[in-house]
Amino acid sequence: MFEKVLVANRGEIALRILRACREMGIQTVAVHSTADEDAMHVRLADESICIGPPAAKDSYLNIQAILTAATISNSEAIHPGYGFLSENADFAGMVVEHGFTFIGPSPEHIRLMGDKITAKDAVAKAGIPVVPGSDGPVKDEKEALKVADTIGYPVLIKAAAGGGGRGMKVANTAEELPNAIRMASAEAESAFGNGEVYLEKYLDHPRHIEIQILADMHGNVVHLGERDCSLQRRHQKILEEAPSPALNHNQRDEIGRIACAAIKKIGYHNVGTIEFLYEDGNFYFIEMNTRLQVEHPVTEMICGLDLVREMIRVSAGTPLGYTQDDIKFSGHAIECRINAENPETFAPRPGRVGDYHAPGGLGVRVDSALYSGYKVPPHYDSLISKLIVHGSNRNECLMRLRRALGEYVIDEMETTIPLHQRLIANPDFVNGDYDIHWLEKFVNKE
Ligand code: MV4
């Protein structure tokens, strides 16, 4: 096992990783920007190194500074967390070239899944169902019209370098298609420097369901069930739950088996998430995430597994030591993302936290780097706390969640807690009756 790990991240996820390391007897190194001198992750680590000024591009995205910090601290491995450099294949490659272990998949697999076209092609060949569409990039208008004619309108034009919804355009008719392609391609070119686009059948009322997988470097692969992440606003997830209210055991087992077989075939190792759209009983692959995700705790709560510990173990070359039959799902978990934002406009509201008290008690977990007097800096994302609640079933989970949300004290800050309180009182949500468009309508009407 590693003796010392550098955590190339900040906020709650840095704490999450530091905690796993401490439990494993691994020494830790925090890196931080000048804006984060008083941040909790700096205090919780064994050592800390300042890597640059507040702007992320000069600190948490500064590859040279991070590699230098790893060198001078004598670290063996680097955990990237989520966001920042976590899905940067060049960074993963440089980490390895400098003699460190990247706690994550190989640079090749990050690159393969980072391009949405090569990702879709690879998983389709490995047996995963994908959305009907173009076979690779669309070269020109003529080809696009032909594909659209075969699959039927409406169609969605997506950027190969996209993800997170950027560079997507819907075309409802053949008349709309040429302009939609030009616009999607131009947007992708300016945002990513890659104007390549592909075409898919537009699904109009899907759920977003993602499968968590875990694979070691010896060909052992397990899935840890699914998360329903349909509740999003402008491609930002607000609340996630596991299991999905829309799936039964047989559907879970089947898509899980398909996912594991594909992961094995692709030779992928470490944690990963296979994202699907789920509509009218069918799964359609959209993307694969090659990182630890924000919402990983809901999976941990229902399978009783420490995903960060597992990803560190497999990165060190340790075999999983268990099989799919050993994974037992228990109860229901929901995560609420608490952001330092106005709960109506979602405008960021950084600033100083007054009195602070986090919820607790049976089945309640709070992943957060907040403390009383902490100044939430304006330079990074606005996630300040994740409330994760577990219950023996969905109803118990909801009752507990309502109770826990009421316990939060985050004085002198605007947060999205009131939004969550309204959301979990809504009958559609209580019934699990929602798709990817439901939350936008909910926040726009109330
Ligand atoms: C789609 C889709 C409908 N049909 N693909 C949005 C971001 C990217 N991850 C994929 N996205 C979508 N792809 C087809 N063929 C609808 C979306 C989509 C979406 C997906 C998941 C969660 C929220 C969403 C909100 C709007 C659109």
Side-chain angles (χ1 to χ4, degrees):
M1 188 41 63
F2 309 118
E3 288 204 358
K4 197 187 267 193
V5 166
L6 181 143
V7 179
N9 214 299
R10 63 181 303 284
E12 68 84 19
I13 198 61
L15 266 61
R16 173 70 191 82
I17 299 159
L18 293 169
R19 286 170 170 151
C21 290
R22 175 123 331 142
E23 289 178 12
M24 296 172 81
I26 299 170
Q27 295 281 107
T28 55
V29 181
V31 293
H32 66 90
S33 70
T34 53
D36 275 343
E37 270 162 9
D38 298 323
M40 204 59 215
H41 75 282
V42 174
R43 297 201 206 176
L44 217 62
D46 295 309
E47 299 167 51
S48 65
I49 299 172
C50 183
I51 51 168
K57 67 171 189 354
D58 301 319
S59 49
Y60 299 103
L61 291 171
N62 184 340
I63 294 176
Q64 284 310 328
I66 290 166
L67 291 173
T68 303
T71 302
I72 63 172
S73 61
N74 218 2
S75 297
E76 265 185 274
I78 299 181
H79 197 307
Y82 55 66
F84 296 129
L85 297 167
S86 61
E87 290 179 294
N88 183 322
D90 294 335
F91 174 65
M94 288 168 80
V95 167
V96 174
E97 278 165 33
H98 282 71
F100 308 112
T101 299
F102 180 77
I103 301 179
S106 72
E108 292 73 26
H109 285 112
I110 298 174
R111 200 166 283 116
L112 177 71
M113 298 305 173
D115 181 310
K116 307 306 161 195
I117 293 177
T118 57
K120 188 177 178 181
D121 184 57
V123 305
K125 288 197 168 92
I128 289 184
V130 299
V131 191
S134 60
D135 190 9
V138 285
K139 300 188 302 290
D140 51 43
E141 231 170 75
K142 203 170 135 237
E143 186 192 344
L145 284 162
K146 222 172 92 188
V147 175
D149 208 44
T150 314
I151 61 174
Y153 291 89
V155 296
L156 190 59
I157 298 109
K158 294 183 170 182
R166 285 179 303 176
M168 292 199 327
K169 286 281 173 289
V170 183
N172 290 295
T173 61
E175 288 67 51
E176 289 179 17
L177 188 59
N179 194 43
I181 290 178
R182 272 193 297 274
M183 284 176 55
S185 183
E187 212 174 292
E189 182 63 52
S190 80
F192 316 111
N194 174 4
E196 217 169 46
V197 295
Y198 61 111
L199 205 143
E200 279 184 354
K201 173 81 190 163
Y202 178 69
L203 305 174
D204 82 334
H205 60 280
R207 300 178 78 111
H208 174 126
I209 297 180
E210 54 186 36
I211 309 285
Q212 177 71 54
I213 63 97
L214 171 61
D216 66 17
M217 299 202 275
H218 310 277
N220 304 298
V221 185
V222 295
H223 75 85
L224 305 174
E226 81 284 4
R227 297 183 285 261
D228 197 315
C229 306
S230 302
L231 295 174
Q232 312 201 359
R233 180 190 170 268
R234 301 194 182 168
H235 303 291
Q236 297 297 312
K237 292 170 184 166
I238 301 286
L239 176 152
E240 305 95 342
E241 59 181 315
S244 169
L247 293 193
N248 62 38
H249 291 290
N250 295 331
Q251 293 167 301
R252 172 171 314 110
D253 288 351
E254 193 192 338
I255 194 68
R257 254 198 310 276
I258 293 169
C260 289
I263 287 299
K264 198 162 175 164
K265 208 161 175 177
I266 292 165
Y268 185 92
H269 53 85
N270 219 273
V271 299
T273 302
I274 310 181
E275 292 189 350
F276 293 93
L277 296 179
Y278 178 75
E279 187 175 273
D280 302 334
N282 298 308
F283 284 96
Y284 305 91
F285 170 88
I286 44 169
E287 289 169 25
M288 177 162 180
N289 299 322
T290 57
R291 62 173 189 278
L292 179 72
Q293 291 194 258
V294 176
E295 62 271 27
H296 77 275
V298 293
T299 298
E300 295 184 320
M301 300 313 277
I302 64 158
C303 8
L305 218 108
D306 180 336
L307 262 174
V308 179
R309 179 191 181 116
E310 293 311 305
M311 80 186 286
I312 294 171
R313 284 178 71 242
V314 299
S315 298
T318 311
L320 283 185
Y322 45 86
T323 65
Q324 190 65 50
D325 289 340
D326 298 314
I327 308 291
K328 301 278 185 249
F329 300 108
S330 165
H332 198 94
I334 297 180
E335 172 180 276
C336 292
R337 297 193 187 191
I338 315 294
N339 293 338
E341 291 171 358
N342 177 282
E344 263 109 52
T345 64
F346 299 92
R349 293 281 192 266
R352 185 182 174 278
V353 182
D355 278 351
Y356 172 71
H357 183 262
L362 182 63
V364 175
R365 164 176 173 185
V366 175
D367 281 18
S368 173
L370 280 195
Y371 59 85
S372 183
Y374 174 64
K375 286 195 193 69
V376 177
H379 314 283
Y380 315 106
D381 77 26
S382 58
L383 182 74
I384 52 170
S385 189
K386 302 191 310 203
L387 171 63
I388 308 104
V389 170
H390 183 260
S392 58
N393 55 51
R394 192 167 185 268
N395 194 42
E396 185 180 285
C397 187
L398 288 174
M399 296 191 320
R400 187 162 283 158
L401 180 54
R402 192 165 301 121
R403 185 273 287 173
L405 280 168
E407 284 183 24
Y408 261 115
V409 177
I410 308 179
D411 279 351
E412 296 162 50
M413 290 278 286
E414 283 187 83
T415 77
T416 50
I417 292 170
L419 169 74
H420 287 290
Q421 288 173 317
R422 286 197 294 120
L423 174 58
I424 66 169
N426 181 281
D428 287 347
F429 175 71
V430 170
N431 293 326
D433 186 11
Y434 57 80
D435 63 22
I436 60 167
H437 303 297
W438 187 90
L439 189 81
E440 302 266 6
K441 288 179 233 158
F442 174 76
V443 299
N444 288 330
K445 77 163 168 262
E446 297 215 11

